[in-house]
């Protein structure tokens, strides 16, 4: 893990949208150094990616957890139901609203002398 990410990890976990100015001021107060915004961006992205990756990994383990619960607790039930995805989220946006009249375009007149 990069040095900046390790030093700012707790702050980034508390506020994943922490500003670069705040990150730089923390580094200046604690370590007496500043760093370019690009390095701060990469450090914050690194920590957020680790956290999101852990969540994705844990969700992938849910079916195994359910099977384990069923094996060790006879008579218990485990049901996993995926959330329904709203179709309108995946539909392409309309090109033009049907009740809206078409745009009138202005034409420029060009004359050659």
């Amino acid at each position: 893990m990069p040095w900046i990410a390790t030093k700012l990890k707790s702050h980034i976990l508390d506020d994943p949208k922490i500003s670069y100015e705040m990150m730089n001021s923390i580094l200046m107060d604690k370590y007496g150094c500043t760093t370019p915004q690009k390095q701060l961006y990469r450090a914050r992205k690194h920590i957020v990616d680790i956290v999101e990756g852990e969540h994705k990994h844990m969700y992938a383990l849910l079916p195994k957890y359910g099977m384990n619960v069923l094996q060790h607790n006879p008579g218990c039930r485990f049901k996993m139901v995926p959330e329904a995805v709203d179709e309108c989220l995946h539909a392409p946006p309309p090109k033009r609203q049907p009740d809206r009249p078409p745009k009138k375009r202005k034409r420029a007149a060009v004359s050659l002398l």
Side-chain angles (χ1 to χ4, degrees), residues 5-30:
T6 58
K7 301 304 177 190
L8 296 174
K9 182 177 181 179
S10 62
H11 298 284
I12 295 170
L13 291 175
D14 289 342
D15 180 15
K17 295 181 179 180
I18 187 172
S19 69
Y20 301 124
E21 292 83 17
M22 180 62 75
M23 293 167 71
N24 245 338
S25 68
I26 293 168
L27 288 174
M28 180 56 100
D29 292 344
K30 288 188 176 183

Side-chain angles (χ1 to χ4, degrees), residues 20 23-24 27 35-44:
Y20 301 124
M23 293 167 71
N24 245 338
L27 288 174
T35 186
Q37 185 173 340
K38 186 161 183 145
Q39 287 181 337
L40 295 172
Y41 166 80
R42 286 192 302 239
R44 183 171 66 185

